[in-house]
Amino acid sequence: MPIPAAAAEALAALLGRRFSTSGADRELHGQSESWHRAPPPDAVAWPETTEEVAQIAAICQRHRVPLIGWGTGTSLEAQALATQGGLVLDMLRMDRVLEIRAGDLQTTVQPGCTREALNQELRATGLFFPVDPGANASLGGMASTRASGTTAVRYGTMRDNVLALEVVLADGRVIRTGTRAAKSSAGYDLTGLFVGAEGTLGIITELTLRLHGQPEEVAAAVCGFPTLEQAVECVTATIQSGIPMARIEFIDADVVRAFNRFSGTQMHEGPHLMVEFHGAPASVQSDAEAFGALAADFGGTGFDWATTPEARAALWKMRHNAYRSCLALRPGATAVVTDVCVPMSHLPAAVADAAADIRAEGLLGPMVGHVGDGNFHAQILVMPGDEAELAAAKRVATRMAERAIAVGGTITGEHGVGIGKLPLMRAQHGEAVAVMAAIKQALDPQGIMNPGKLVPGVN
Amino acid sequence: MPIPAAAAEALAALLGRRFSTSGADRELHGQSESWHRAPPPDAVAWPETTEEVAQIAAICQRHRVPLIGWGTGTSLEAQALATQGGLVLDMLRMDRVLEIRAGDLQTTVQPGCTREALNQELRATGLFFPVDPGANASLGGMASTRASGTTAVRYGTMRDNVLALEVVLADGRVIRTGTRAAKSSAGYDLTGLFVGAEGTLGIITELTLRLHGQPEEVAAAVCGFPTLEQAVECVTATIQSGIPMARIEFIDADVVRAFNRFSGTQMHEGPHLMVEFHGAPASVQSDAEAFGALAADFGGTGFDWATTPEARAALWKMRHNAYRSCLALRPGATAVVTDVCVPMSHLPAAVADAAADIRAEGLLGPMVGHVGDGNFHAQILVMPGDEAELAAAKRVATRMAERAIAVGGTITGEHGVGIGKLPLMRAQHGEAVAVMAAIKQALDPQGIMNPGKLVPGVN
């Protein structure tokens, strides 16, 4: 459904050349890093102010044009694809750090600002923004998918680190949610409602984020384990013991193979944990020693400490490149990425069952995990066009999700729902899906905000 | 509006003697610890199962009877008072700890279970539930008001410690929100929506809570300061420095006077901080030393360490009795309790301005604060029936709230809205109040769930 001429005229009048229906602009905003595919959007807009976003929403509402937010296009469940056509709102021109309030450990940013750009700006302050999903995503996108990543075990997810929002609603109204106080009991937690809503309830135009002090001391290491089971059981024991890990990441033998091939490392090609400790020097030392003792109990060997900032940066850069490194294990492949998260005591079985299932289907699916949260991913490599392989990968992904639900876990720890997890939402939430639909209906009665995503059976 | 006969008959048929319209039962459920007063409810029910709560809701919906949840009756903004009449649902018979999953650091409880009862059950596990609002409140009530208290600076509020809920909706449907995973991106954060909703969207019938390991080492101390300003500036510097405080509580000279009189202490009658450190022994020592050095910079003297568990228990018991001790400073008085929370850098001015304002109005208003969060309370003592004094106390409370809003803070850090903060909700949230009203309307179209609370202009 192309955009009605009256809507296109109004948008062009408002935005000039920052509104485009050119094939190239549409194609660029119809890409996905994952296996999801959709036709490109009908048009793209690049707003520069909240007021422009509000006017765009009002125009889209009047003409019933779907409105889809776009950050860096790195979401993995097709959240930013215009699956029902419409207008993609590219937020990257709204990328400023508006204010850093170091004394309050807070910053206010525009949604197109990326996490790396923010941390660059924060360098001189001694503060940092910890949420780290790997990709250099936009902070608006990270909030919208409730992103987390390697440091969530210590610093929490976007849910925990977004204090306040400015949001443009479907009808163009602009609201502010939350406050700059560390906590509040003043009414419904609207901030928490818009975080993770994937743009289905409104467009985030400003975020106030919690900042954290750079830890006085940081220590990071890689440690190998004889088996996948022992590595994951070590994680469970570590979390249960209360050692305050800053990061504790699982990588399996296939991932190590990818690292060795594409990052030039020479690690033993078995399962490993990548860990980091933050704190005062005395704490870091006692935490690292406590973890070392636990790791030894589970057969951990060959601790390789990254002692300099450069070595640590290289270590985590390698981890962040896991997705691309693993894709390169099979040139031309794309990936079905799973994202379950389970209660800690169920983690060892969940990882082992997933590995067995991937093997049984004859697939290659390297696994990484933010295992301190019980969250792990299999990146199942499939060749575009091989429908049988894609179907097998989806079967594995669905079974992983169903097993996660059976033990009280979730079908998505951090990637969100988009269209990929939509068929599993009822199995996850039951009747609560109707409550989500009622909220969607109340805030977006015409269904123009990222339609077809997140809430099954709506639009 | 008394309960329609048909509704009373249906409720009596369902609950037998666990449904009452007796004067004594109604009076007991019409009390408030604060200055708020309302007529008693028309009836009281004591459900024992979720199914009963669902049937009660269905009956109330059919006959348009207001339904008000009741835990321990310790809320401070009249959340549990039947201000529009109706049925009070006393949840204290649903008080079981249903399951402790130590390996997952989780428990599932019924809403009438109190925090002290839960911690008693947890004793043998090495785990504890940290949220501590002072009163031995019910966990359902604590979730509904998004309670926090002395330990939130380290362990977070109920928002951070409730993982999943079972909720009975206005029409009797039962839903489950959240999961047992540490994090989830699977749709709207309904758990976060019901936490802090004060029973206006549904009745919580089951909670899954995060637990935390008992710290290996605990150290607590009291430290005096020459002036209120220096004590509060020390807090701001402590939080900005990143020392991981487990508790950091401010008490002013009036509170110390109340403690000396009613707890038999002999503290210097000036402002103090009460602090606690949790962690491995090495961490606790380095944290305590770092805090000690900062306190000295702000004139802190006379560190009094509570070195035994008994001494620590006595210290925090005294702090928890602050409300009653301060009430006793003026026999017969009741209290208007303020509850603002401001960004850290604004805390010293906020506390000083409040103290000056209370003095200028000629009132007695001892101040305590969970100052590590920027949250503090003045407990303004007023004599029942003295309308001029009550009006003066309300003026002070309103000005404190307005100053908090002006610096980006909140009108309530932990006590909630009820009816007390209702007139300030628009000043706090602006147009976002309309979004809250839309959500209320979507989930409770007949307005039977705790009507007249939290959302201004609805019901």
Side-chain angles (χ1 to χ4, degrees):
Chain A
M1 177 190 84
I3 294 183
E9 277 163 32
L11 290 165
L14 175 67
L15 300 167
R17 297 177 62 175
R18 290 186 284 109
F19 171 74
S20 169
T21 54
S22 86
D25 287 328
R26 292 166 54 216
E27 285 297 332
L28 266 175
H29 293 84
Q31 311 280 325
S32 164
E33 294 216 354
S34 74
W35 64 275
H36 295 291
R37 296 288 173 269
D42 298 302
V44 182
W46 290 264
E48 291 182 345
T49 64
T50 298
E51 180 53 32
E52 283 184 353
V53 176
Q55 291 187 42
I56 293 167
I59 292 167
C60 287
Q61 164 104 337
R62 197 175 315 130
H63 298 283
R64 305 211 171 201
V65 175
L67 189 54
I68 304 105
W70 181 278
T72 57
T74 46
S75 56
L76 291 169
E77 297 294 0
Q79 283 95 338
L81 295 186
T83 52
Q84 300 187 7
L87 178 69
V88 158
L89 211 53
D90 183 322
M91 303 302 286
L92 291 186
R93 290 198 179 203
M94 292 179 66
D95 67 347
R96 276 182 301 148
V97 176
L98 297 172
E99 200 182 358
I100 297 169
R101 296 181 298 283
D104 295 332
L105 306 173
Q106 287 173 21
T107 185
T108 298
V109 303
Q110 291 186 310
C113 177
T114 67
R115 64 176 185 86
E116 287 182 6
L118 173 59
N119 279 321
Q120 191 68 28
E121 290 251 354
L122 289 171
R123 271 202 184 170
T125 64
L127 301 172
F128 77 116
F129 183 71
V131 184
D132 174 8
N136 183 25
S138 69
L139 291 158
M142 285 169 62
S144 291
T145 50
R146 205 181 292 128
S148 45
T150 60
T151 59
V153 64
R154 174 65 164 264
Y155 298 98
T157 72
M158 289 304 280
R159 177 182 195 269
D160 307 298
N161 286 286
V162 178
L163 274 168
L165 295 171
E166 181 187 74
V167 178
V168 172
L169 301 176
D171 59 6
R173 275 180 299 162
V174 181
I175 62 166
R176 288 187 170 275
T177 73
T179 74
R180 293 178 177 185
K183 64 183 188 185
S184 176
S185 286
Y188 303 149
D189 181 8
L190 297 184
T191 304
L193 186 63
F194 285 101
V195 170
E198 302 183 358
T200 62
L201 299 177
I203 299 280
I204 295 172
T205 48
E206 191 183 294
L207 305 91
T208 292
L209 305 171
R210 284 182 206 271
L211 301 175
H212 299 260
Q214 295 272 8
E216 194 181 346
E217 181 103 351
V218 177
V222 178
C223 175
F225 288 82
T227 66
L228 176 148
E229 286 76 8
Q230 282 164 297
V232 180
E233 279 163 12
C234 176
V235 174
T236 299
T238 301
I239 297 302
Q240 288 170 347
S241 77
I243 302 170
M245 304 301 291
R247 284 171 156 138
I248 181 164
E249 295 284 305
F250 167 73
I251 51 177
D252 77 1
D254 288 330
V255 177
V256 175
R257 188 156 58 88
F259 286 169
N260 284 346
R261 200 177 301 182
F262 302 101
S263 297
T265 46
Q266 298 186 315
M267 295 164 69
H268 169 70
E269 294 190 357
H272 283 70
L273 295 179
M274 303 172 75
V275 295
E276 193 164 270
F277 305 91
H278 292 180
S283 316
V284 165
Q285 196 181 332
S286 78
D287 296 343
E289 282 167 8
F291 174 75
L294 265 178
D297 288 346
F298 292 92
T301 53
F303 258 88
D304 188 7
W305 288 91
T307 45
T308 64
E310 293 73 27
R312 275 202 310 278
L315 186 72
W316 295 115
K317 188 176 175 200
M318 179 173 80
R319 168 63 187 86
H320 284 156
N321 287 337
Y323 184 72
R324 289 177 187 285
S325 302
C326 289
L327 274 184
L329 280 176
R330 197 173 172 197
T334 181
V336 172
V337 185
T338 70
D339 180 35
V340 298
C341 186
V342 297
M344 195 46 55
S345 66
H346 295 280
L347 184 66
V351 175
D353 289 350
D357 204 357
I358 291 165
R359 230 175 8 245
E361 288 276 10
L363 296 165
L364 178 58
M367 290 205 289
V368 301
H370 314 307
V371 278
D373 297 321
N375 183 207
F376 67 99
H377 312 297
Q379 181 181 342
I380 306 173
L381 301 176
V382 295
M383 292 311 285
D386 186 336
E387 293 303 324
E389 200 169 55
L390 180 62
K394 286 188 186 175
R395 279 197 301 273
V396 169
T398 299
R399 285 193 294 261
M400 282 175 71
E402 288 168 348
R403 283 193 301 268
I405 293 171
V407 297
T410 176
I411 57 177
T412 168
E414 58 180 10
H415 294 168
V417 179
I419 59 170
K421 292 298 188 312
L422 212 47
L424 291 158
M425 284 288 279
R426 281 187 208 283
Q428 169 93 70
H429 296 291
E431 184 66 20
V433 163
V435 174
M436 294 189 199
I439 292 169
K440 166 76 175 171
Q441 176 69 24
L443 299 196
D444 179 24
Q446 301 201 4
I448 65 160
M449 305 306 277
N450 208 3
K453 313 287 171 62
L454 193 138
V455 189
V458 172
N459 303 132
Chain B
M1 179 188 80
I3 293 183
E9 278 163 31
L11 290 164
L14 175 68
L15 300 167
R17 297 177 62 176
R18 292 185 284 107
F19 171 74
S20 170
T21 54
S22 86
D25 288 328
R26 291 167 54 217
E27 285 297 331
L28 266 174
H29 293 83
Q31 311 280 325
S32 164
E33 295 215 354
S34 74
W35 64 276
H36 296 292
R37 295 290 172 267
D42 298 302
V44 182
W46 291 264
E48 291 183 344
T49 64
T50 298
E51 180 53 33
E52 283 184 353
V53 176
Q55 291 187 42
I56 292 168
I59 293 168
C60 287
Q61 164 105 337
R62 198 175 313 128
H63 298 281
R64 304 211 173 199
V65 176
L67 190 54
I68 304 105
W70 181 278
T72 57
T74 46
S75 56
L76 291 168
E77 296 295 359
Q79 282 96 337
L81 294 187
T83 53
Q84 301 187 6
L87 178 68
V88 158
L89 211 54
D90 183 321
M91 302 303 287
L92 290 186
R93 290 198 179 204
M94 293 178 67
D95 67 346
R96 276 181 305 147
V97 175
L98 297 172
E99 200 181 358
I100 297 169
R101 296 182 299 283
D104 295 333
L105 305 173
Q106 288 174 19
T107 184
T108 299
V109 303
Q110 291 187 311
C113 176
T114 67
R115 64 175 187 86
E116 286 181 8
L118 173 59
N119 278 321
Q120 191 68 29
E121 290 252 355
L122 290 171
R123 270 204 185 169
T125 63
L127 302 172
F128 77 116
F129 182 70
V131 184
D132 174 7
N136 183 24
S138 70
L139 292 157
M142 285 170 61
S144 291
T145 50
R146 205 181 292 129
S148 46
T150 61
T151 59
V153 65
R154 173 66 163 262
Y155 298 97
T157 71
M158 289 304 279
R159 177 183 196 269
D160 308 300
N161 286 286
V162 178
L163 273 167
L165 296 171
E166 181 188 74
V167 178
V168 171
L169 301 176
D171 57 7
R173 274 179 299 162
V174 181
I175 62 166
R176 288 187 170 274
T177 73
T179 75
R180 294 178 175 185
K183 64 183 188 185
S184 175
S185 286
Y188 303 149
D189 181 7
L190 297 184
T191 304
L193 185 62
F194 286 100
V195 169
E198 301 182 0
T200 62
L201 300 177
I203 299 280
I204 294 172
T205 48
E206 190 183 294
L207 306 90
T208 293
L209 305 171
R210 284 182 206 271
L211 301 175
H212 299 259
Q214 294 272 9
E216 193 181 346
E217 181 102 353
V218 177
V222 178
C223 176
F225 288 82
T227 66
L228 176 149
E229 286 76 7
Q230 282 164 297
V232 180
E233 279 163 11
C234 175
V235 174
T236 299
T238 301
I239 297 302
Q240 288 170 346
S241 77
I243 301 171
M245 305 301 293
R247 284 171 157 136
I248 181 164
E249 294 285 304
F250 168 73
I251 51 176
D252 77 1
D254 288 330
V255 177
V256 175
R257 187 156 59 88
F259 286 169
N260 284 345
R261 201 179 298 182
F262 302 102
S263 298
T265 46
Q266 297 187 314
M267 295 165 69
H268 169 70
E269 294 190 357
H272 284 69
L273 295 180
M274 304 172 75
V275 296
E276 193 164 271
F277 306 91
H278 292 179
S283 315
V284 165
Q285 195 181 333
S286 78
D287 295 344
E289 282 168 7
F291 174 75
L294 265 178
D297 287 348
F298 291 92
T301 52
F303 259 89
D304 188 6
W305 289 91
T307 45
T308 65
E310 293 73 27
R312 273 202 311 278
L315 186 71
W316 295 116
K317 187 175 174 202
M318 179 173 79
R319 168 65 187 84
H320 285 157
N321 287 336
Y323 184 73
R324 289 176 189 285
S325 302
C326 290
L327 274 184
L329 281 176
R330 197 174 174 196
T334 182
V336 172
V337 186
T338 70
D339 180 36
V340 298
C341 186
V342 297
M344 196 45 56
S345 66
H346 296 280
L347 183 66
V351 176
D353 289 350
D357 203 356
I358 292 165
R359 226 169 18 240
E361 289 276 9
L363 295 165
L364 179 58
M367 291 205 288
V368 301
H370 314 308
V371 278
D373 297 320
N375 183 206
F376 67 99
H377 312 297
Q379 182 180 342
I380 306 173
L381 302 176
V382 294
M383 292 311 284
D386 186 336
E387 293 303 324
E389 199 170 55
L390 181 61
K394 287 188 185 174
R395 280 197 301 272
V396 168
T398 299
R399 284 193 294 259
M400 282 175 71
E402 289 168 347
R403 283 192 301 267
I405 293 171
V407 298
T410 176
I411 57 177
T412 168
E414 58 180 11
H415 293 170
V417 179
I419 59 171
K421 293 298 189 310
L422 213 48
L424 291 158
M425 284 288 280
R426 281 186 207 283
Q428 170 94 68
H429 295 291
E431 184 66 20
V433 164
V435 173
M436 295 188 198
I439 292 168
K440 166 77 175 171
Q441 175 69 24
L443 298 196
D444 179 24
Q446 301 200 5
I448 65 159
M449 305 306 277
N450 208 3
K453 314 286 170 63
L454 194 137
V455 189
V458 172
N459 305 131

